[in-house]
Amino acid sequence: MLIRIPNASDARPSEITDRSTYFGRREFMLGAAAFSAAAALPFGAIAAPLSATKSPLSTNETPTPLKDVTSYNNFYEFGTDKGDPAKNAHTLTTKPWKVKVDGLVDKPADYDLDDLIKDIALEERIYRMRCVEGWSMVIPWVGVPLASVLARVSPQGSAKYLAFETLVRPEEMPGQKGFFQAMKWPYVEGLRLDEAMHPLTILAVGLYGEKLPNQNGAPIRLVVPWKYGFKSIKSVVRMTLTDKQPITSWSRENPREYGFYSNVNPAVDHPRWSQATERRIGDQGGSFGGLFAKRHPTLLFNGYAEQVASLYSGLDLKANY
Amino acid sequence: MATRSRQRSTLSRLILGADPQRRTLYIAGMTPAVLYFYWGLTNQLGADPQNVLERALGLWALRFLIASLAITPLRQLGGPSLYRFRRAIGLLAFYYAALHLTVYMVLDKGLDLPSIIADIIKRPYITVGMLAFAILVPLAVTSNGPMIRRLGANWRKLHRLAYVAAAAAALHFIMLVKVWPGEPLIYAGLVAALLLFRLANSLRPRARPARS
């Protein structure tokens, strides 16, 4: 029988290595190989925190504690339990990292990550993140507008969509090997080009002022705050400009439950559960932590309706879920 | 004096049973619930404590339900006879299901009755879960000596509903996951195996001791 009581070897929140030590460990691991590469990093010395400018697009809501953001998330390449990414993602090598840009672009190439975002100012974007499962967080991302990256590769006029792909590397991603695998790999996602170009859409390379932890999609991931979290694809290795609506992983798994758009919408329920409310991770309900915390109402487009609703004028949001 | 002590023993017998081993089983069986509530109240259930608590209680309900149905097959396959623990195990399943439902209604939904009712009607996995619980109620109420005597032969028929409750509970578990991970399927497989065993048994002509 499978008994899942947290056992003595599981880390308690209080035991989680603090941020500086944790990043120190990664630097140590990277150290030997990265000595020469360090000079090429876009944000100076490895140990330095990312310097990012504040953004008017940030929310002023209280960010979810770092330990929750980095220990509770879905990244099925590392296992289907929400604790698995934090447990298993330390094996991922994120340097060197190439992002292939192809399709309808004038400058297709296998870009080194550093070149792809070089000289684009890093911004801190504190965004709400709403998971399709009914929980949410507030995350201080550090990243660059996707539009700036796209400008660099010069999309052609015929490009209407942008398709994304996550790394496939079973030797470093335990969810991609073995008899039971949750999904078809690579994980793929896509946006309409106008969604991709929207100022809110970013490619994140950090959170809480430091480089992205592996479990959160290092070294580079998409963040589209008005869509359910699974649209914000992690550890991106390929971006393809295309004139056809790309296949997306969850819609391929279960087209009845997950559509291409997947905009946060309290009025359009998941076929199996309501999307009207959400549990905000990190909320405190009195002196007993999160146990007695109340749900929040979910907002249309995750509260970003003012900025993005015009993208969907005339579109039936129920039919295009 | 004598009457009061007799009353007390009747009461504790109703709650915990007279058999010290069975009392131990009740106490051991409730330990996960006590631990999870303790961890929840002391902030040790991680980022999403409501969800962890709710799921743990539901999972223990399903485990006890399966264990209660496994007692007869275990005996018939040559294992030890654990019949005297069956009622306790079945009741533990009911207690966990009741706690699971309570956490869902009070902590998760904040006793928002219209939303709970909408859930039960509109969300098939919740409908199925409620069905499992609704079945367990009469089974728990009739899990005592006086009710067994009163119901006579009907008691056995009534308690066959435990299979329906187990199947509904296993389905409830499968229906709430996004992909097809192993765990819910393992539980569903166990319930299916128990059900098949029971069906095969009832189809087989019985050996009558009278013939020997």
Side-chain angles (χ1 to χ4, degrees):
Chain A
M1 202 178 264
L2 295 170
I3 298 176
R4 291 186 45 238
I5 309 176
N7 57 42
S9 66
D10 286 351
R12 300 240 170 98
S14 58
E15 294 172 323
I16 289 173
T17 312
D18 79 79
R19 199 165 37 166
S20 56
T21 317
Y22 175 77
F23 279 89
R25 180 190 60 86
R26 291 180 66 216
E27 264 79 75
F28 175 73
M29 286 163 61
L30 288 170
F35 183 76
S36 59
L41 280 179
F43 13 82
I46 307 175
L50 304 180
S51 65
T53 57
K54 303 229 172 292
S55 165
L57 295 168
S58 288
T59 171
N60 55 14
E61 287 164 90
T62 311
T64 305
L66 175 69
K67 72 169 165 51
D68 292 337
V69 175
T70 55
S71 66
Y72 185 86
N73 68 334
N74 288 314
F75 195 169
Y76 281 9
E77 282 81 346
F78 294 104
T80 53
D81 190 275
K82 275 184 268 297
D84 286 342
K87 240 178 263 169
N88 299 330
H90 60 92
T91 50
L92 180 67
T93 316
T94 56
K95 188 85 192 174
W97 193 272
K98 298 268 188 200
V99 180
K100 182 194 219 23
V101 180
D102 60 358
L104 305 170
V105 280
D106 287 337
K107 298 178 193 162
D110 285 344
Y111 287 91
D112 195 78
L113 172 58
D114 301 335
D115 297 333
L116 193 68
I117 60 172
K118 185 152 69 187
D119 299 330
I120 303 175
L122 290 177
E123 291 178 45
E124 182 188 61
R125 298 283 183 96
I126 307 171
Y127 283 162
R128 289 176 291 276
M129 199 286 296
R130 169 64 155 80
C131 178
V132 74
E133 296 167 350
W135 52 271
S136 63
M137 294 184 175
V138 176
I139 305 178
W141 301 106
V142 175
V144 296
L146 177 55
S148 308
V149 174
L150 286 174
R152 176 159 290 175
V153 300
S154 305
Q156 293 167 3
S158 51
K160 295 285 176 286
Y161 296 91
L162 181 57
F164 298 86
E165 239 178 73
T166 294
L167 179 72
V168 179
R169 197 182 283 163
E171 63 276 20
E172 293 183 2
M173 296 178 137
Q176 289 180 339
K177 61 187 173 200
F179 175 73
F180 173 75
Q181 293 182 31
M183 305 185 92
K184 210 170 146 181
W185 313 113
Y187 189 90
V188 288
E189 257 306 335
L191 295 172
R192 252 174 27 195
L193 198 55
D194 57 344
E195 296 174 324
M197 302 286 282
H198 192 278
L200 281 171
T201 307
I202 60 167
L203 288 173
V205 294
L207 60 81
Y208 266 103
E210 312 234 17
K211 286 199 305 176
L212 266 186
N214 285 355
Q215 64 266 33
N216 294 90
I220 187 163
R221 63 167 294 166
L222 179 69
V223 178
V224 197
W226 70 93
K227 292 175 179 283
Y228 291 117
F230 66 83
K231 292 292 290 183
S232 293
I233 186 170
K234 302 182 182 80
S235 303
V236 173
V237 292
R238 185 176 180 190
M239 299 196 287
T240 306
L241 286 126
T242 161
D243 54 1
K244 285 180 210 64
Q245 182 173 303
I247 289 168
T248 59
S249 276
W250 276 105
S251 158
R252 177 169 61 192
E253 293 293 320
N254 194 337
R256 200 177 66 87
E257 298 191 345
Y258 308 99
F260 173 77
Y261 284 96
S262 297
N263 292 316
V264 175
N265 191 337
V268 178
D269 284 339
H270 186 280
R272 287 181 287 151
W273 56 81
S274 164
Q275 295 291 27
T277 60
E278 63 202 50
R279 286 191 313 282
R280 178 64 59 81
I281 304 299
D283 264 8
Q284 304 293 304
S287 51
F288 292 119
L291 205 55
F292 296 98
K294 288 204 167 36
R295 287 172 166 270
H296 291 227
T298 291
L299 305 173
L300 180 60
F301 299 116
N302 202 21
Y304 298 97
E306 207 177 297
Q307 292 101 313
V308 301
S310 60
L311 293 174
Y312 308 106
S313 54
L315 189 77
D316 179 351
L317 296 174
K318 268 197 161 61
N320 297 279
Y321 51 93
Chain B
M1 208 41 203
T3 321
R4 200 190 298 165
S5 111
R6 210 178 135 244
Q7 274 176 351
R8 197 190 307 149
S9 78
T10 313
L11 190 66
S12 71
R13 199 175 294 173
L14 266 178
I15 295 169
L16 289 174
D19 178 345
Q21 284 186 324
R22 243 178 288 175
R23 287 173 191 233
T24 310
L25 176 63
Y26 273 118
I27 291 165
M30 289 314 287
T31 303
V34 172
L35 281 176
Y36 270 98
F37 276 103
Y38 171 73
W39 287 328
L41 293 173
T42 53
N43 234 332
Q44 296 183 67
L45 289 182
D48 201 351
Q50 280 178 11
N51 196 33
V52 172
L53 178 66
E54 198 173 325
R55 290 199 179 203
L57 295 170
L59 193 53
W60 279 101
L62 179 56
R63 285 170 180 159
F64 282 119
L65 201 48
I66 288 173
S68 72
L69 293 176
I71 283 168
T72 299
L74 187 70
R75 180 73 188 120
Q76 289 176 346
L77 294 171
S81 173
L82 301 174
Y83 281 108
R84 67 203 179 94
F85 299 118
R86 188 162 62 176
R87 184 194 302 173
I89 294 173
L91 282 171
L92 281 167
F94 171 74
Y95 297 149
Y96 274 92
L99 288 172
H100 172 65
L101 180 63
T102 306
V103 166
Y104 159 73
M105 295 207 302
V106 179
L107 297 184
D108 191 346
K109 304 297 278 190
L111 280 177
D112 178 355
L113 285 179
S115 159
I116 292 170
I117 292 165
D119 262 3
I120 294 172
I121 296 168
K122 282 168 71 182
R123 316 285 159 213
Y125 84 93
I126 295 178
T127 316
V128 169
M130 275 305 295
L131 173 74
F133 182 74
I135 291 171
L136 290 180
V137 173
L139 302 193
V141 169
T142 56
S143 285
N144 53 68
M147 285 308 283
I148 293 170
R149 280 189 293 278
R150 236 172 89 180
L151 287 171
N154 287 328
W155 189 90
R156 286 176 63 96
K157 282 188 199 156
L158 177 68
H159 278 250
R160 276 183 208 147
L161 283 174
Y163 286 93
V164 182
L171 187 62
H172 171 66
F173 190 13
I174 286 180
M175 287 170 84
L176 63 83
V177 295
K178 280 203 301 189
V179 286
W180 291 94
E183 205 181 0
L185 289 178
I186 290 170
Y187 286 99
L190 285 173
V191 172
L194 290 168
L195 195 56
L196 285 174
F197 189 89
R198 165 83 211 200
L199 286 176
N201 239 1
S202 64
L203 292 176
R204 200 173 56 192
R206 274 160 210 260
R208 304 241 173 231
R211 286 178 65 183
S212 63

